[in-house]
Amino acid sequence: MWVLVMFDLPTDSPAARKRYTRFRGSLLENGFSMMQYSVYCRHCASAENALVHTERVRAGLPPDGEVRILTLTDRQFDRMEVHFGKRRIQ
């Protein structure tokens, strides 16, 4: 079972950036890995374990912005297609 957290949080003030950093840090502390910017995932051994981590994310939600939590089975996650475009030149 996989838990995906996708978020769009404001960073237009020092306080908002602090809340963004705190939320992102809490995801990392709880075992989530960054898939891409503002998309984090975590593998869970069972649906019950996924619920525990979903509740932890809910407990740390910032007061503004948008956070989406998606739970997928291993089979659904494995069906994900990943496409890479041209690499950016620095």
Side-chain angles (χ1 to χ4, degrees), residues 24-32:
R24 183 181 174 280
S26 72
L27 292 175
L28 294 171
E29 288 173 11
N30 283 301
F32 285 84

Side-chain angles (χ1 to χ4, degrees), residues 8-13 15-21 62-66:
D8 185 16
L9 302 176
T11 57
D12 55 353
S13 71
R17 282 190 293 279
K18 189 172 185 174
R19 287 190 296 269
Y20 171 90
T21 302
D64 47 2
E66 182 177 317

Side-chain angles (χ1 to χ4, degrees), residues 1-3 44-55 71:
M1 177 103 356
W2 289 84
V3 178
C44 297
S46 65
E48 292 81 14
N49 186 248
L51 182 60
V52 167
H53 289 286
T54 299
E55 290 300 323
T71 306

Side-chain angles (χ1 to χ4, degrees), residues 1 9 25 40 59 65 70 75 77 82-84:
M1 177 103 356
L9 302 176
Y40 288 71
L70 178 65
R75 188 171 187 166
F77 190 84
V82 179
H83 303 276
F84 294 97

Side-chain angles (χ1 to χ4, degrees), residues 5-10 23 38 61-69:
V5 178
M6 301 164 279
F7 57 93
D8 185 16
L9 302 176
F23 180 72
S38 299
L61 289 175
D64 47 2
E66 182 177 317
V67 178
R68 295 172 188 241
I69 304 170

Side-chain angles (χ1 to χ4, degrees), residues 82-90:
V82 179
H83 303 276
F84 294 97
K86 294 179 182 179
R87 294 193 180 263
R88 296 181 184 173
I89 299 173
Q90 300 246 354

